[in-house]
Amino acid sequence: MDQLSQTFQALADPTRRAMLAKLSQGEASVTDLAKPFLKEMSLPAVTKHLKVLEKAGLVTKTKEAQWRPCKINADGLRDVADWMEHYRVFWEESFDRLDAYLKTVTAKEKPKGKKNGRKKK
Amino acid sequence: MDQLSQTFQALADPTRRAMLAKLSQGEASVTDLAKPFLKEMSLPAVTKHLKVLEKAGLVTKTKEAQWRPCKINADGLRDVADWMEHYRVFWEESFDRLDAYLKTVTAKEKPKGKKNGRKKK
């Protein structure tokens, strides 16, 4: 499998994306990284997910520290960002349309004096 | 499978990414879209890839025209862009590092009067 496909494949899993989200806050040991997932899966399963992220160029194990913490490897993310760049015109237009729609919704809701029911995520 | 995982999964294939690249140039009929791939695969195989892209929110079939051309659906791309946004600090730093590296390489190569061997992709 080519590298970019491998990266997209690695991202096609909510557990692996949750691991990246955790690492986006800073380096973490495998034990710390595994903790939130051990209710749903075994440690070997967590380690396997971590290996997929490593092979995809999304996570590396730091070599300096003795406890070898995991951290985000930007290489994989850069490849995705690079690929996405070509499609910017499409997704930016889509963001604009969503924005316009949300403005319409808010404009309609305000006069009725409703509570702020819908929030822009 | 959740929607975002499905979108990443759909992108984890070079044929499907090539189809999106083609559609980024404009709408195309299934026949036109299939043409470059028919040497390597059957029409049903191409149609299957297209269905994966549709389910992932990356491609839609236009309803207006009678020949129902395929076009890019920005929804899937927006979801990916939205997810990527959280990691911008990582991939932008990575782009900067790559840029700095390429500048070093160019600076080293110039005095030797080498031909422009390495190009920035």
Side-chain angles (χ1 to χ4, degrees), chain B residues 64-103:
Chain B
E64 296 91 45
Q66 208 171 4
W67 56 293
R68 304 196 71 214
C70 304
K71 65 170 195 171
I72 284 191
N73 176 5
D75 291 354
L77 291 169
R78 192 186 62 216
D79 291 347
V80 173
D82 212 6
W83 183 86
M84 282 296 287
E85 197 52 40
H86 181 71
Y87 298 90
R88 177 180 285 277
V89 59
F90 295 97
W91 50 265
E92 280 200 336
E93 189 193 299
S94 173
F95 274 125
D96 289 348
R97 274 208 310 269
L98 181 68
D99 215 47
Y101 167 73
L102 288 169
K103 270 179 196 149

Side-chain angles (χ1 to χ4, degrees), chain B residues 2-17:
Chain B
D2 66 290
Q3 187 61 44
L4 186 56
S5 296
Q6 208 163 331
T7 306
F8 277 126
Q9 180 76 60
L11 294 174
D13 182 278
T15 305
R16 292 196 288 266
R17 291 200 303 276

Side-chain angles (χ1 to χ4, degrees), chain A residues 58-107:
Chain A
L58 289 162
V59 164
T60 40
K61 286 206 185 108
T62 312
K63 272 165 197 154
E64 295 91 46
Q66 208 171 5
W67 56 294
R68 304 196 71 214
C70 304
K71 64 170 195 170
I72 285 193
N73 175 5
D75 291 354
L77 291 169
R78 193 186 60 217
D79 291 347
V80 173
D82 212 6
W83 182 87
M84 283 295 287
E85 196 52 41
H86 181 72
Y87 298 90
R88 177 180 285 277
V89 60
F90 294 97
W91 50 265
E92 280 201 336
E93 188 193 299
S94 173
F95 274 126
D96 289 348
R97 274 209 309 270
L98 182 68
D99 214 48
Y101 167 73
L102 288 169
K103 270 179 194 149
T104 327
V105 172
T106 325

Side-chain angles (χ1 to χ4, degrees), chain B:
Chain B
M1 202 191 256
D2 66 290
Q3 187 61 44
L4 186 56
S5 296
Q6 208 163 331
T7 306
F8 277 126
Q9 180 76 60
L11 294 174
D13 182 278
T15 305
R16 292 196 288 266
R17 291 200 303 276
M19 286 174 165
L20 283 177
K22 166 82 181 153
L23 289 176
S24 74
Q25 291 157 14
E27 298 182 353
S29 68
V30 177
T31 321
D32 283 345
L33 202 56
K35 224 173 266 174
F37 305 103
L38 293 179
K39 278 177 202 161
E40 310 146 37
M41 59 184 84
S42 64
L43 185 61
V46 171
T47 316
K48 208 174 159 188
H49 277 309
L50 203 54
K51 282 220 173 97
V52 174
L53 288 169
E54 279 185 76
K55 276 191 80 177
L58 290 162
V59 164
T60 40
K61 286 206 184 107
T62 313
K63 272 165 196 154
E64 296 91 45
Q66 208 171 4
W67 56 293
R68 304 196 71 214
C70 304
K71 65 170 195 171
I72 284 191
N73 176 5
D75 291 354
L77 291 169
R78 192 186 62 216
D79 291 347
V80 173
D82 212 6
W83 183 86
M84 282 296 287
E85 197 52 40
H86 181 71
Y87 298 90
R88 177 180 285 277
V89 59
F90 295 97
W91 50 265
E92 280 200 336
E93 189 193 299
S94 173
F95 274 125
D96 289 348
R97 274 208 310 269
L98 181 68
D99 215 47
Y101 167 73
L102 288 169
K103 270 179 196 149
T104 326
V105 172
T106 325
K108 271 185 196 158
E109 281 184 351
K110 260 184 197 154
K112 288 181 192 165
K114 271 187 190 171
K115 276 180 229 163
N116 51 342
R118 248 165 274 195
K119 274 182 199 166
K120 199 180 162 188
K121 224 171 103 186

Side-chain angles (χ1 to χ4, degrees), chain A residues 5-65:
Chain A
S5 295
Q6 209 164 329
T7 307
F8 277 127
Q9 180 76 60
L11 294 173
D13 182 278
T15 304
R16 291 195 289 265
R17 292 199 304 276
M19 285 173 168
L20 284 177
K22 165 82 180 152
L23 290 176
S24 73
Q25 291 159 13
E27 298 182 354
S29 68
V30 177
T31 320
D32 282 344
L33 202 56
K35 223 172 268 175
F37 306 103
L38 292 179
K39 277 176 204 164
E40 309 145 39
M41 60 184 83
S42 65
L43 186 61
V46 172
T47 316
K48 209 175 159 188
H49 277 308
L50 203 53
K51 283 222 172 92
V52 174
L53 288 169
E54 278 186 77
K55 277 190 79 176
L58 289 162
V59 164
T60 40
K61 286 206 185 108
T62 312
K63 272 165 197 154
E64 295 91 46

